Amino acid sequence: MAYEKGIAPRLTKKGPAEEMDDSTKDEVPVLIAGFGRVGQVVGRVLRAKKIRFTALDASSEHVDFLKRFGAKLYYGDASRIDLLRAARADKARIFVLAVDDVEASLRIVKTVQQHFPHLLIYARARNRQHAYGLLNLGVTRVFRETMGTSLAMLSSVLQGMGLPFSEAEQAAERFRKYDEELLLETYKHQHDQEKLVERAKQAYAELERLFENDAKKDVA
Amino acid sequence: MAYEKGIAPRLTKKGPAEEMDDSTKDEVPVLIAGFGRVGQVVGRVLRAKKIRFTALDASSEHVDFLKRFGAKLYYGDASRIDLLRAARADKARIFVLAVDDVEASLRIVKTVQQHFPHLLIYARARNRQHAYGLLNLGVTRVFRETMGTSLAMLSSVLQGMGLPFSEAEQAAERFRKYDEELLLETYKHQHDQEKLVERAKQAYAELERLFENDAKKDVA
């Protein structure tokens, strides 16, 4: 789902819902930018809950079929103000930022905050460094993309080692809280945010510090 | 964390824990193959729970510092029988397969099943296609890497739309169960498993069917 910078957004590509249902076309409350693995799950449940959404994706492959299901779709670079305007970001309430490319994600946040500051942003983060970048821009609803599944897997492994279900689940939940607090704590002590994105060496150094902190505290 | 096929496993690289603690060196119950975002979370909590593990990773960057914390480490291709033997896969009970490369993952499963069939495999899956590939090899403890976080994000978005916490959480949980059942159901009707890995067009077609199924059932 890498963003193709050369793609000109084809703003006139609209779904049948928009054509058939002009009276409510300004009332779509949720925008989902990035309709890959994460955005699709969000969209599927919103649809089941009968909450309307508009999807934006860099590629037409992800979203073309959505037309048949009455969802609006736009493809192109979601950090472009014209694409966001066409998708009626001014009328939405929630902006689900589910792209997997770190730089595209941060670029989209900047555009959305500048032009549509009323939107609540819920952001997918690739890793800790990406999360720092989002926090630095003031985005607080940050979801690290592999954390939930890592904890589910961990709980199962603990059960496989003979721990009772409740103890395994508690360990996963305590670790989640501990690691979120640690993320925020570490973030506060960062000063050079511009350099925080995707620097592998820094990530390893930080992981080392995490292990040191784990050893000091009763994390699970 | 792409596997570097050219790397010769440096089997003699061992941590101080192994050197200092020969008496228990055969008693490490958990192997973690792939020490990226997922493997690290599992390893950190296992360590906090004082459950010993050995990490295997394609790159020395991920695991070198582990030595200082008493965990064993091996780097190289975890589908190599000599690496698994050196890591004492014969004495372990649980194999956490946390690599993010689909082909490497499936290759590792085949080696582990052939040579260490006693190991319980807990596998990270990139997406549905990867999950099918794992199921086809008989691996049933499959964790799709972005599913847990997608559901957490979805629950928050529903709450942002005004739904009560309990209703949002229930929707996420119902969808998780529904989608897992659908995954197994769809899998049973697949016949050509060899072609299932990472074919984008097929994934889109399947997503379309998922939306159709969502519309039929009360999924959330």
Side-chain angles (χ1 to χ4, degrees):
Chain A
M1 208 172 58
Y3 271 68
E4 298 169 80
K5 287 166 190 165
I7 283 186
R10 278 159 278 185
L11 302 179
T12 54
K13 192 99 178 180
K14 292 172 182 172
E18 192 164 4
E19 288 152 21
M20 294 185 301
D21 192 13
D22 271 1
S23 62
T24 58
K25 73 175 180 182
D26 290 345
E27 295 167 17
V28 177
V30 181
L31 296 189
I32 301 177
F35 210 65
R37 294 172 295 165
V38 175
Q40 286 169 14
V41 167
V42 175
R44 286 169 68 197
V45 184
L46 287 179
R47 184 166 177 281
K49 281 291 190 186
K50 307 203 188 310
I51 295 171
R52 299 183 70 196
F53 67 90
T54 295
L56 301 91
D57 199 283
S59 159
S60 62
E61 286 181 297
H62 273 147
V63 292
D64 256 3
F65 76 88
L66 274 176
K67 300 193 264 199
R68 297 193 221 162
F69 296 92
K72 294 189 195 183
L73 56 112
Y74 294 91
Y75 43 100
D77 182 342
S79 72
R80 288 182 59 149
I81 177 68
D82 55 350
L83 189 72
L84 290 166
R85 280 205 184 108
R88 301 313 307 258
D90 57 326
K91 297 288 185 184
R93 290 164 52 189
I94 285 176
F95 190 89
V96 179
L97 178 55
V99 302
D100 65 356
D101 183 274
V102 175
E103 291 189 14
S105 164
L106 299 176
R107 202 166 57 233
I108 292 167
V109 167
K110 287 174 189 166
T111 305
V112 168
Q113 287 179 329
Q114 186 179 348
H115 297 280
F116 308 101
H118 70 287
L119 288 170
L120 297 180
I121 299 175
Y122 293 74
R124 166 186 184 174
R126 177 164 172 76
N127 51 26
R128 297 180 84 85
Q129 277 61 47
H130 187 190
Y132 291 148
L134 290 163
L135 288 166
N136 193 44
L137 292 173
V139 177
T140 55
R141 297 172 199 84
V142 174
F143 302 83
R144 282 174 289 166
E145 65 183 25
T146 58
M147 181 54 77
T149 293
S150 299
L151 293 173
M153 195 173 182
L154 176 274
S155 173
S156 287
V157 168
L158 289 178
Q159 291 169 64
M161 285 298 296
L163 271 69
F165 173 80
S166 59
E167 186 179 339
E169 287 289 299
Q170 188 186 45
E173 177 59 17
R174 285 183 67 184
F175 182 81
R176 186 188 63 74
K177 286 182 183 167
Y178 158 79
D179 195 58
E180 278 179 11
E181 282 167 17
L182 190 62
L183 180 76
L184 291 171
E185 194 179 300
T186 314
Y187 165 72
K188 284 178 196 155
H189 295 91
Q190 300 284 350
H191 298 292
D192 193 357
Q193 296 301 323
E194 291 301 306
K195 296 181 182 174
L196 279 174
V197 178
E198 291 292 313
R199 293 196 309 190
K201 282 190 179 177
Q202 183 169 332
Y204 297 132
E206 173 153 298
L207 181 62
E208 189 168 346
R209 288 196 300 275
L210 291 179
F211 263 81
E212 283 163 0
N213 282 329
D214 288 354
K216 287 176 200 158
K217 293 188 190 179
D218 177 22
V219 298
Chain B
M1 208 172 63
Y3 271 69
E4 297 169 81
K5 288 167 187 164
I7 284 185
R10 276 158 279 185
L11 301 179
T12 54
K13 192 96 177 181
K14 290 172 185 175
E18 189 165 8
E19 289 154 19
M20 294 184 302
D21 193 14
D22 272 2
S23 62
T24 58
K25 71 175 181 180
D26 290 345
E27 296 167 18
V28 177
V30 181
L31 296 189
I32 301 178
F35 211 64
R37 295 172 295 165
V38 175
Q40 286 169 12
V41 168
V42 175
R44 286 169 67 197
V45 184
L46 287 179
R47 184 164 177 281
K49 281 290 190 186
K50 307 205 188 309
I51 295 171
R52 300 184 70 195
F53 68 90
T54 295
L56 302 91
D57 199 285
S59 160
S60 62
E61 286 181 297
H62 274 145
V63 292
D64 256 4
F65 76 89
L66 275 177
K67 301 192 265 201
R68 297 193 221 160
F69 295 93
K72 294 189 194 183
L73 57 112
Y74 294 92
Y75 42 101
D77 182 342
S79 71
R80 288 181 58 150
I81 177 69
D82 55 350
L83 188 71
L84 291 166
R85 280 205 183 106
R88 299 314 305 260
D90 58 325
K91 296 288 185 186
R93 290 162 52 189
I94 284 177
F95 190 88
V96 179
L97 178 55
V99 302
D100 65 356
D101 183 274
V102 175
E103 292 189 13
S105 163
L106 299 177
R107 202 167 57 233
I108 292 166
V109 167
K110 288 174 188 166
T111 305
V112 168
Q113 287 179 328
Q114 186 179 350
H115 297 280
F116 308 100
H118 70 288
L119 287 171
L120 298 181
I121 299 176
Y122 293 74
R124 165 187 184 175
R126 175 163 176 76
N127 51 25
R128 298 180 83 83
Q129 278 61 47
H130 187 190
Y132 291 148
L134 291 162
L135 288 166
N136 193 45
L137 292 173
V139 177
T140 55
R141 298 172 197 86
V142 173
F143 302 82
R144 282 174 289 167
E145 66 184 23
T146 59
M147 181 55 76
T149 293
S150 299
L151 293 173
M153 195 172 182
L154 176 273
S155 173
S156 288
V157 168
L158 290 178
Q159 291 170 63
M161 284 298 297
L163 271 69
F165 172 80
S166 58
E167 188 179 339
E169 287 288 300
Q170 189 186 42
E173 177 60 16
R174 286 184 67 185
F175 182 82
R176 186 187 65 73
K177 285 183 183 166
Y178 158 80
D179 195 59
E180 278 179 11
E181 282 166 18
L182 191 60
L183 178 77
L184 291 172
E185 195 178 299
T186 313
Y187 165 71
K188 285 177 196 156
H189 295 92
Q190 299 284 353
H191 298 292
D192 194 357
Q193 297 299 324
E194 290 302 307
K195 297 180 182 172
L196 278 173
V197 178
E198 290 292 314
R199 293 194 311 190
K201 283 190 180 177
Q202 184 169 334
Y204 297 132
E206 174 153 296
L207 181 61
E208 189 168 346
R209 288 195 298 276
L210 291 178
F211 262 82
E212 282 162 3
N213 283 329
D214 287 355
K216 287 176 202 158
K217 292 188 191 178
D218 177 24
V219 299

